[in-house]
Amino acid sequence: MSFSSATKPVYKLEDLKGMTLRVSALLPGSSLHWPQHRGPFPRRKAYEAMQKNVIDGLMIPMETMRAFRYAEVAKHVTECWAIGQVYTFYLVMNKNVWNKLPADIQKIFNEYPFEEKFATMWNEIDIDGKKYGEEKGLQFIELQSEEISKWKKAVEPVLEDYVKKMVASGFNEKETRELIKYAQSELSNWTKKPEGIGESNPSTGPCRSSS
């Protein structure tokens, strides 16, 4: 995750004060925790909005530097991977169709390394997005460790709100917190997992690389 700005560089949390942002929700409704935000605000309008300074910047994955051409309208990019949202991707098949497949075909599906393939793909497009931004002359800013702690502290209410919403919907609070803890531990494992070429993924931290 990165913060792309068209108006001024962001080196620390306080630099966001007074800026109008378009943010992707860390969890449903979580963008409202940002002091000055634009929402709901369709991503398809963000390019023109940054170009015309309707917004100062947006929080967005690094791959959009190329995919959505944000590198053409941004000037500065702060790599704030520590507070980025995490999506769950999965593949599904109709159970009746699955049950009709021969055992040898089911075995292929069960053994194929989908997780590794998806992780590698996201690594590659994020790295490519950053390279495109560098080619366009964008300034990339990596947060210092003390700043990362401040940013993580600032978004803690997002998780607490999520727990409250889950409990209000009938889910067990302890189980919900355990799921969050499990997700955090898995993220930690992934960001430390070397995968080959030695290039850091700018959306998941300085340690993760792509194969």
Side-chain angles (χ1 to χ4, degrees):
M1 180 57 60
S2 62
F3 176 75
S4 302
S5 170
T7 56
K8 70 175 185 179
V10 174
Y11 296 96
K12 56 186 184 297
L13 190 62
E14 291 78 8
D15 291 336
L16 294 172
K17 186 175 181 180
M19 299 182 75
T20 301
L21 317 174
R22 190 272 184 191
V23 298
S24 299
L26 306 175
L27 293 168
S30 63
S31 61
L32 300 181
H33 285 282
W34 290 84
Q36 181 86 354
H37 71 284
R38 286 281 183 180
F41 193 88
R43 184 180 293 185
R44 66 181 183 275
K45 295 184 178 181
Y47 182 102
E48 184 178 5
M50 287 185 68
Q51 187 179 46
K52 296 181 177 180
N53 289 338
V54 174
I55 58 175
D56 295 294
L58 67 159
M59 285 198 67
I60 208 77
M62 198 74 76
E63 52 97 5
T64 61
M65 291 294 103
R66 184 187 295 275
F68 289 87
R69 298 172 26 228
Y70 291 145
E72 298 175 3
V73 291
K75 296 179 181 178
H76 319 279
V77 179
T78 301
E79 300 180 31
C80 49
W81 52 268
I83 63 166
Q85 77 265 35
V86 176
Y87 295 119
T88 301
F89 292 89
Y90 50 87
L91 296 175
V92 296
M93 179 184 292
N94 180 281
K95 188 174 182 179
N96 291 329
V97 174
W98 171 261
N99 289 335
K100 293 178 182 178
L101 293 175
D104 59 332
I105 301 300
Q106 289 182 348
K107 185 174 184 291
I108 292 173
F109 277 105
N110 285 328
E111 295 180 354
Y112 189 80
F114 288 107
E115 296 91 342
E116 295 289 338
K117 293 289 186 179
F118 279 135
T120 298
M121 181 273 292
W122 283 113
N123 263 3
E124 289 174 347
I125 61 176
D126 269 335
I127 292 169
D128 177 69
K130 181 175 181 179
K131 287 181 177 179
Y132 184 68
E134 291 172 338
E135 292 170 6
K136 290 292 184 181
L138 272 63
Q139 175 192 15
F140 285 86
I141 301 165
E142 185 174 340
L143 293 176
Q144 299 300 308
S145 57
E146 59 270 20
E147 273 300 307
I148 292 175
S149 298
K150 288 168 58 177
W151 287 52
K152 291 172 71 173
K153 183 73 174 178
V155 298
E156 283 182 358
V158 173
L159 294 177
E160 289 304 311
D161 277 3
Y162 177 73
V163 172
K164 291 177 183 177
K165 290 175 182 177
M166 292 294 285
V167 173
S169 298
F171 292 89
N172 181 277
E173 178 176 351
K174 181 180 178 181
E175 291 179 355
T176 300
R177 293 188 182 279
E178 287 177 348
L179 284 172
I180 293 174
K181 185 176 180 180
Y182 171 75
Q184 291 172 330
S185 67
E186 285 298 293
L187 285 173
S188 178
N189 291 336
W190 273 107
T191 56
K192 294 175 182 178
K193 184 176 181 178
E195 295 184 23
I197 67 172
E199 284 194 74
S200 298
N201 183 326
S203 286
T204 53
C207 297
R208 182 172 170 186
S209 58
S210 168
S211 60

